[in-house]
Amino acid sequence: MGAWFACASCSLFYTYPNIMKTPLLFCLSLLSPAVSFSQGYLEKDGLISIEAEDFASQTQADLRRWFRFDASTPPHSYADADDVHVEGASGGAYIEILPDTRTNHDEPLIKGVNFSPEPGQMCVLTYPIWVDQPGRYYIWGRAFSTGPEDNGAHFGLDGAWPESSRRLQFCQGKEQWTWSSAQRRPENHCGTPLTLWVDIAEAGQHTLMLSMREDGIELDKIVLSRDESFRPEGVGPEATRYEPAPLPERTRFVDIKNYRYLWHATEDFEIDSSAAVPYYLHQQKGALAIDATKLEYRNKFARASKVFSRKKAQTVDLALVTLAETDGESEYRVLINDKLIGSFKNPETSEDYKEVTFTIPQVTLNPGDVVSVESNAVTNGKIPEGDGTAFARGRWIGLALQ
Ligand SMILES: [Ca+2]
Ligand SMILES: [Ca+2]
Ligand SMILES: [Ca+2]
């Protein structure tokens, strides 16, 4: 029992809701594609294939509950009439509603406990789905049924439980994983194929729902298909999980972890044409730089400025971000209204274009203040270049107001 509860508390069996696993795990999931969580499913060519065990949330789970089973699941201690059936399950996992106290007609039927004729009352799961093609989707489920009282479930969509998606029924294929799209009806308890569906009116995000009809049902996979001629076989089509493309990573201002404003050297600053030497835009690096091929441009300061145009004064840390260069240690100056408030020198580096951050703490900027950055182009003479020496260009990429 101890092991069972320990595992239950770490949501191995009971994920409620799945996406609300510990915040830490959730955060890691966002950062690392290796850690998976339910991101929902996409329709692809009129088909949505869902691993039943990969649900987003479970509610109404106080009397009966969907549990997840895979090869690592330890034995459970709930009422049940058969063993686990991981073998042959798609994705090596499935879900089952336990306890199962009505496995055959000799055991009492208790509405609202081991039988739920109405959908949405017990063991409600959700699956986020994204649909491009609206229309009628036939519902297929893959279940493992051993007795006559563990083979029904209800489906719903977007908070509603339409008549057309109630009472998925499995009569055929006992003692094995079996597909069905049959709805149990008064005149035909076993139903006929393609009598279970949802009509999706609009493209976009929807929520497929699943709830209990009979306890003990084991469900492996769910397929929604627009195609009437589609017949799932074996473990069925590969799950159509939503897998977002990788996001671009931060490549600039990498050490600026928080800021109020970020002023880009090439976009936000105006180059001062009256300075000793001019800046040019180094587009590839997004930097202002000095063309030190001209010897007369070396060791003199270029300048670019920006007006602080906020309505109120603000006190900020000013962080100047420069690019270090192997062939020289350029100098930098920050001024407000021509008054020097900070001067720095790039460190010697073995890595060209490595970002360096110089911070001037607690600077009060008033509306209309002119913030200027100056730098020079130098050579450290350590790197021969043809008949002269290589040189740095006084590059900087911006100023963060923190
Ligand atoms: Ca069972
Ligand atoms: Ca049952
Ligand atoms: Ca499965």
Side-chain angles (χ1 to χ4, degrees):
M1 284 294 280
W4 168 252
F5 284 118
C7 287
S9 67
C10 69
S11 61
L12 177 63
F13 295 94
Y14 174 38
T15 44
Y16 169 67
N18 208 22
I19 209 161
M20 295 281 286
K21 288 174 183 175
T22 68
L24 177 62
L25 179 58
F26 186 59
C27 291
L28 289 174
S29 302
L30 288 175
L31 292 174
S32 167
V35 182
S36 68
F37 65 101
S38 181
Q39 303 195 93
Y41 289 83
L42 282 182
E43 172 245 311
K44 288 181 181 168
D45 301 325
L47 187 135
I48 306 167
S49 183
I50 298 168
E51 291 290 357
E53 63 274 14
D54 185 19
F55 53 87
S57 71
Q58 174 163 211
T59 51
Q60 306 290 93
D62 295 322
L63 299 178
R64 291 291 182 276
R65 196 170 299 164
W66 290 101
F67 289 90
R68 183 183 193 279
F69 289 91
D70 62 30
S72 66
T73 307
H76 70 79
S77 55
Y78 296 110
D80 198 4
D82 56 2
D83 210 340
V84 296
H85 302 115
V86 171
E87 191 177 340
S90 174
Y94 68 95
I95 50 175
E96 176 177 9
I97 293 177
L98 294 173
D100 182 7
T101 58
R102 179 167 155 87
T103 63
N104 61 78
H105 293 117
D106 291 344
E107 293 176 326
L109 181 153
I110 310 170
K111 278 189 186 176
V113 179
N114 58 22
F115 176 65
S116 184
E118 282 297 309
Q121 305 295 305
M122 300 181 67
C123 308
V124 179
L125 302 187
T126 64
Y127 301 89
I129 57 174
W130 182 274
V131 170
D132 287 325
Q133 303 180 47
R136 176 159 296 178
Y137 283 79
Y138 294 96
I139 303 172
W140 290 86
R142 187 172 193 247
F144 198 111
S145 172
T146 51
E149 304 301 325
D150 60 1
N151 56 357
H154 304 291
F155 285 91
L157 186 76
D158 297 335
W161 301 89
E163 170 59 26
S164 69
S165 57
R166 301 177 174 203
R167 303 183 307 282
L168 171 63
Q169 184 74 8
F170 294 86
C171 282
Q172 311 298 321
K174 292 285 177 190
E175 303 286 346
Q176 59 181 305
W177 288 109
T178 302
W179 289 99
S180 171
S181 60
Q183 184 181 54
R184 179 189 167 94
R185 293 178 175 177
E187 71 282 6
N188 178 359
H189 284 190
C190 281
T192 54
L194 298 176
T195 51
L196 200 78
W197 64 81
V198 285
D199 288 321
I200 300 181
E202 291 180 358
Q205 182 74 52
H206 296 276
T207 302
L208 181 72
M209 304 182 302
L210 168 66
S211 79
M212 173 177 131
R213 185 168 185 275
E214 293 176 336
D215 63 2
I217 184 169
E218 300 175 13
L219 206 61
D220 174 26
K221 208 164 186 177
I222 302 159
V223 172
L224 305 184
S225 173
R226 291 198 69 205
D227 181 2
E228 283 185 46
S229 66
F230 170 77
R231 298 288 181 278
E233 293 174 352
V235 295
E238 189 180 344
T240 57
R241 281 195 180 85
Y242 172 54
E243 284 169 7
L247 296 171
E249 293 182 4
R250 178 204 296 249
T251 57
R252 289 161 55 79
F253 297 99
V254 293
D255 294 326
I256 303 296
K257 301 305 183 196
N258 61 75
Y259 62 84
R260 276 189 231 172
Y261 313 110
L262 194 55
W263 293 353
H264 293 258
T266 57
E267 296 162 25
D268 299 317
F269 282 81
E270 190 171 338
I271 296 169
D272 188 340
S273 58
S274 68
V277 296
Y279 276 126
Y280 72 94
L281 268 56
H282 185 182
Q283 296 289 2
Q284 191 202 352
K285 292 294 174 189
L288 286 181
I290 297 162
D291 180 8
T293 53
K294 297 187 169 105
L295 291 177
E296 66 271 27
Y297 282 6
R298 295 191 188 180
N299 304 309
K300 291 175 186 159
F301 282 88
R303 174 193 275 215
S305 301
K306 175 171 170 55
V307 174
F308 182 72
S309 57
R310 299 284 150 181
K311 290 199 175 74
K312 289 181 179 170
Q314 293 188 32
T315 299
V316 296
D317 292 349
L318 284 182
L320 175 69
V321 181
T322 71
L323 299 181
E325 299 168 82
T326 54
D327 31 23
E329 290 82 49
S330 297
E331 296 169 305
Y332 296 85
R333 302 198 290 225
V334 178
L335 307 93
I336 296 178
N337 301 330
D338 293 329
K339 181 172 177 253
L340 185 68
I341 60 165
S343 58
F344 314 99
K345 188 176 186 181
N346 262 352
E348 195 171 344
T349 184
S350 57
E351 183 186 342
D352 250 343
Y353 309 118
K354 180 179 171 56
E355 288 187 8
V356 181
T357 302
F358 300 107
T359 301
I360 309 166
Q362 297 296 293
V363 176
T364 297
L365 292 173
N366 292 294
D369 278 354
V370 178
V371 180
S372 303
V373 175
E374 297 182 341
S375 65
N376 62 9
V378 300
T379 176
N380 57 16
K382 293 180 179 172
I383 300 177
E385 180 201 43
D387 48 353
T389 55
F391 49 86
R393 293 174 182 253
R395 290 182 177 91
W396 57 283
I397 63 170
L399 196 63
L401 283 63
Q402 299 176 303

